[in-house]
Each structure stands twice: as structure tokens, then as C-alpha cells.
């Protein structure tokens, strides 16, 4: 990205320099009425057309730091207001370039003026144009690229950490079993621990594969009709063993016969993760309720528990990969920290969304809102097959 911007910037600087040179050879000098200083010709013909097609923010300054031309992107980001360049760092660079004629490159952070950003990071290139003090400023927004790089670094670090724990435990347990070969009880106990860590490693790898497959928020390649009742039944069937072990009752309710347009396997995966979480964070002898209801052009699937709830300050982060409200409890229950991230991406892949309501000590409710098949959430009798429900 940085190299491509430098190449583009070099090409633009060269092209504009040629335009300025050709136009200024025969351009009559003009005098600034304010101070009588010769400033050269106005913006040459053709320069505005070049700047208009640039994807980056572009600004041309005259000899007195006034803006001769600014792209719409430059104004949208707040770099230019009226005929003034608002970023002090850019203005200082422009003055240095005007003094010594050397092209300069840098990175700056500007207070956000677009899409609610707090700050916007720019890669900038400043070059002289013509012989009358004009300066070209090119600024490429690289905020999103930096954010993606930060997410990638965090993801790699988190994966490395999460993999080290079960792999290290398996190695240690294997050595322990070797040393305890003459103690059958110890071998049985440590072998059980190895099975637990191996299962945890398997779940983590499976979740990573699932997440990598859907995290691009791209549309499902081969969507089809999905019966919500069947998806809920399959998800509950996957989670029933854990629920029985804690004497937690899994209850279904709401409107039957609703359908969405999507992928049944992904939907079951999302529901299984929500139900698994509800069971893991609920006390014994409670209930987890899965309810379905029509919502205009969407179908809402809610999973409610009577568990410990989520602190308000953590609600905005719970869909982040590897984020855990209670890391110790999550690892004790075998959680990978990827379940809710998978749910979020499954919702996005279906052009839907997931939301959460929670109160500490009162439980949580996660709601998937997905587009209904046919554009309207209408119950279809179970006797009508999927192919006929059109």
C-alpha cells in the first residue's frame, strides 16, 4: 500500500509538473493586489482534471499558502476549509518544500472529520510545482490499513497464546505419564487430562477454520431456504449433553415454520455457540430459552439464559475474537473465546445482525436478526417442503 501510494504520488507529481511547466512558460506574470508580489499564473488548464480523478486527498497551494485547488476528499477529511490548509503539519511541510524545492514524505494524524473517526492517519507527499512557489500536497488515508494490521497482529498473538496452552499441557502430561508408568491410577488420571486438552485444541482449531471461512463478511456463495425450527433443533441436540450435566433445561418457543435465505450449517453453528455460552455461564437447575418470532422482513432468534450476566463495560467488546469477560471461567468451561465472533460473522454473512441485552446477576439475551425468505417473515406449515415454499 505504501509503495503503491509512493509510485502513484511520483507519477502525479511528474504529470502536474509538466502541466505547470508548459502552462507557465508563456503565462504572463500577475501581481497580487494585496502586496504587489508576482505570484505567477493561476492554476493551469488540465491540473484540475488530474486532481479530480485522484483517489487520495490532493491540494495545490500558491506562494502565499492559499489553496488554489483541493479535491473533494481533502475537504471531506477536513484538511481544507475555504482557501486554507487546516493541518498545521502539512502547512509546515509545504513551506519547507517551497524553500528548498525538495520533495518530502511523512505521516500525520489529523483530528477526525469523517465517519465519526477520532483521528485519521495520512501518508503524505509534498512536492514543488512550477517556479512561482506553488506546492502540491497528496495525502492518502491509511487509517483502515493500520487498523487491519493491528487486528492481524493481535489475532496472531492471541492464536499463538491460545495454542501454546493446550500444546504445552499435552507435552507436560505426556512426560508425567511416562514417569508414572508404574502407577495405573495416575496414568488414568493424566490420560483423562490429556483428552480434555486435546478436545480443547480440537475445538480451537475448528473455530479458527470456521472463523477464517466467514470473517470476510462476504455473501454466502450458495444460499438456500433454511427452516429455523430444524436449525434450532439441531443446535439444541449438539448442546444437550452439556445442559443435562448441569441440569439445565433447554426450552424452545415462539413462532414455528419461519424460514430464512442462507446457509443451514452456518446458522446451526451460530445457534450452537449461543446456546453453549448460555449453558456455560448459567448456574445449575436453570433454563435456557430459544425463541423465534417474525419481525417484518426479518426473523429474530433469541437465546436467553438466567446466568451471571455481562458487565456493562464489556458489552461492546464481547464479539471480539478471544475477548473474555472472565478468562479463568472461560478456560475452565473449555471456551475458545471465538464463539461470539463466529456468531457476529455468521450474521454479517446473512446480511443480518446480532445484538445483546444483559444485566449482571439477571442473565443475558442474544438476538440474531436475519432476513426472512421471500422478503417477509411468514410461517410455512411443516407439511410443505422447502422447495415448494416459494
Amino acid at each position: 500500500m505504501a509503495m503503491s501510494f509512493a509510485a502513484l504520488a511520483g507519477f502525479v507529481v511528474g504529470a502536474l509538473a509538466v502541466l505547470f511547466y508548459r502552462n507557465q512558460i508563456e503565462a504572463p506574470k500577475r501581481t497580487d493586489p494585496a502586496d504587489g508580489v508576482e505570484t505567477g499564473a493561476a492554476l493551469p488548464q488540465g491540473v484540475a482534471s488530474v486532481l479530480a480523478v485522484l483517489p487520495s486527498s490532493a491540494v495545490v497551494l500558491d506562494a502565499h499558502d492559499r489553496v488554489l485547488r483541493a479535491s473533494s476528499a481533502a475537504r471531506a477529511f477536513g484538511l481544507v476549509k475555504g482557501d486554507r490548509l487546516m493541518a498545521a503539519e502539512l502547512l509546515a511541510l509545504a513551506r519547507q518544500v517551497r524553500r528548498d524545492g525538495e520533495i518530502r514524505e511523512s505521516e500525520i494524524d489529523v483530528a477526525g472529520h469523517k465517519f465519526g473517526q477520532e483521528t485519521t492517519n495520512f501518508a503524505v507527499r509534498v512536492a514543488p510545482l512550477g517556479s512561482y512557489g506553488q506546492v502540491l500536497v497528496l495525502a492518502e488515508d491509511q487509517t483502515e490499513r493500520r487498523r487491519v494490521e493491528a487486528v492481524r497482529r493481535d489475532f496472531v498473538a492471541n492464536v499463538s497464546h491460545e495454542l501454546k496452552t493446550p500444546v504445552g499441557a499435552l507435552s507436560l502430561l505426556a512426560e508425567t505419564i511416562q514417569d508414572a508408568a508404574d502407577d495405573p491410577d495416575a496414568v488414568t488420571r493424566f490420560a483423562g487430562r490429556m483428552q480434555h486438552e486435546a478436545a480443547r485444541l480440537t475445538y480451537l482449531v475448528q473455530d479458527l477454520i470456521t472463523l477464517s471461512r466467514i470473517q470476510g463478511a462476504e455473501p454466502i456463495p450458495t444460499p438456500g431456504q433454511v427452516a429455523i425450527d430444524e436449525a434450532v433443533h439441531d443446535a439444541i441436540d449438539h448442546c444437550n449433553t452439556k445442559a443435562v450435566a448441569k441440569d439445565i433445561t433447554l426450552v424452545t418457543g415462539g413462532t414455528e415454520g419461519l424460514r430464512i435465505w442462507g446457509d443451514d450449517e452456518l446458522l446451526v453453528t451460530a445457534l450452537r455457540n449461543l446456546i453453549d455460552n448460555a449453558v456455560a455461564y448459567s448456574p445449575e437447575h436453570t433454563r435456557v430459552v430459544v425463541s423465534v418470532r417474525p419481525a417484518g422482513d426479518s426473523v429474530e432468534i433469541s437465546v436467553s439464559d438466567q446466568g451471571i450476566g455481562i458487565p456493562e463495560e464489556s458489552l461492546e467488546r464481547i464479539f471480539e475474537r478471544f475477548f473474555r469477560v472472565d478468562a479463568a471461567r472461560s478456560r475452565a468451561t473449555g471456551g475458545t473465546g471465538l464463539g461470539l465472533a463466529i456468531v457476529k460473522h455468521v450474521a454479517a454473512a446473512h446480511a443480518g445482525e446480532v445484538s445483546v441485552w444483559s444485566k449482571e446477576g439477571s442473565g443475558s439475551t442474544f438476538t440474531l436478526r436475519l432476513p426472512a425468505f421471500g422478503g417477509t417473515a411468514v410461517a410455512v406449515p411443516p407439511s410443505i417442503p422447502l422447495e415448494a415454499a416459494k
Side-chain angles (χ1 to χ4, degrees):
M1 177 73 77
M3 290 187 65
S4 62
F5 172 65
L8 176 62
F11 172 78
V12 172
V13 169
L16 292 182
V18 170
L19 284 173
F20 267 76
Y21 176 75
R22 288 178 177 176
N23 280 275
Q24 288 184 346
I25 284 179
E26 298 180 356
K29 295 180 180 180
R30 64 180 177 84
T31 302
D32 190 311
D35 52 19
V37 178
E38 291 180 343
T39 61
L43 194 67
Q45 183 180 2
V47 172
S49 299
V50 173
L51 297 182
V53 299
L54 289 178
S56 54
S57 301
V59 181
V60 177
L61 299 176
D62 68 8
H64 301 286
D65 294 332
R66 287 187 298 244
V67 175
L68 290 177
R69 174 69 64 171
S71 65
S72 56
R75 296 188 183 277
F77 280 113
L79 296 176
V80 173
K81 186 175 182 180
D83 64 350
R84 295 175 55 205
L85 185 64
M86 303 303 294
E89 292 179 68
L90 278 181
L91 194 56
L93 278 176
R95 288 169 177 170
Q96 290 177 11
V97 168
R98 187 182 292 115
R99 281 197 300 269
D100 57 28
E102 294 184 6
I103 297 175
R104 283 182 168 79
E105 295 180 354
S106 183
E107 289 189 6
I108 65 168
D109 290 318
V110 177
H113 291 267
K114 189 177 183 183
F115 308 132
Q117 296 172 349
E118 293 184 4
T119 60
T120 304
N121 179 265
F122 290 97
V124 299
R125 186 179 179 92
V126 185
L129 287 177
S131 56
Y132 295 103
Q134 291 96 342
V135 174
L136 171 67
V137 178
L138 295 176
E140 181 75 12
D141 176 19
Q142 57 180 9
T143 308
E144 181 64 15
R145 180 175 66 84
R146 282 198 159 193
R147 186 192 68 80
V148 171
E149 288 177 352
V151 169
R152 185 183 296 114
R153 286 195 301 270
D154 291 344
F155 181 69
V156 171
N158 284 328
V159 168
S160 300
H161 174 74
E162 295 295 332
L163 288 175
K164 283 179 181 178
T165 303
V167 170
L170 285 170
S171 178
L172 182 61
L173 287 167
E175 293 178 5
T176 305
I177 286 178
Q178 281 184 325
D179 295 338
D182 297 331
D183 186 348
D185 291 338
V187 169
T188 301
R189 185 170 67 255
F190 291 131
R193 286 293 304 162
M194 288 185 71
Q195 289 179 331
H196 174 78
E197 294 297 338
R200 179 179 169 188
L201 187 59
T202 300
Y203 294 145
L204 177 58
V205 172
Q206 288 175 340
D207 281 352
L208 283 171
I209 292 172
T210 301
L211 189 59
S212 66
R213 184 161 63 95
I214 62 175
Q215 67 181 351
E218 297 177 356
I220 298 169
T222 55
Q225 293 184 63
V226 179
I228 302 298
D229 298 338
E230 294 180 12
V232 170
H233 173 79
D234 290 347
I236 287 178
D237 193 48
H238 277 94
C239 305
N240 200 48
T241 301
K242 293 181 181 179
V244 169
K246 295 180 67 174
D247 191 26
I248 292 176
T249 305
L250 301 181
V251 181
T252 61
T255 305
E256 297 181 353
L258 295 175
R259 305 188 179 194
I260 66 166
W261 186 249
D263 184 291
D264 55 350
E265 183 181 345
L266 287 180
L267 180 58
V268 171
T269 298
L271 292 175
R272 175 176 56 81
N273 278 296
L274 290 178
I275 297 171
D276 263 343
N277 266 12
V279 171
Y281 290 95
S282 292
E284 297 179 347
H285 320 301
T286 56
R287 297 195 317 166
V288 171
V289 180
V290 183
S291 60
V292 183
R293 74 179 190 92
D297 60 354
S298 302
V299 175
E300 291 186 350
I301 312 170
S302 298
V303 178
S304 303
D305 63 57
Q306 299 170 291
I308 60 176
I310 303 168
E312 185 176 355
E313 62 272 14
S314 299
L315 286 175
E316 292 184 359
R317 299 194 59 196
I318 56 174
F319 294 104
E320 295 178 12
R321 290 171 291 189
F322 295 112
F323 178 77
R324 294 180 172 95
V325 176
D326 186 342
R329 183 183 180 115
S330 180
R331 291 192 175 92
T333 59
T336 65
L338 293 172
L340 291 180
I342 290 173
V343 173
K344 181 185 73 172
H345 287 293
V346 168
H350 284 79
E353 61 182 5
V354 59
S355 58
V356 58
W357 172 91
S358 187
K359 184 177 180 181
E360 286 188 274
S362 299
S364 305
T365 297
F366 287 84
T367 301
L368 272 171
R369 186 181 178 94
L370 307 173
F373 172 73
T376 305
V378 178
V380 178
S383 58
I384 300 179
L386 288 179
E387 293 77 10
K390 295 182 179 179

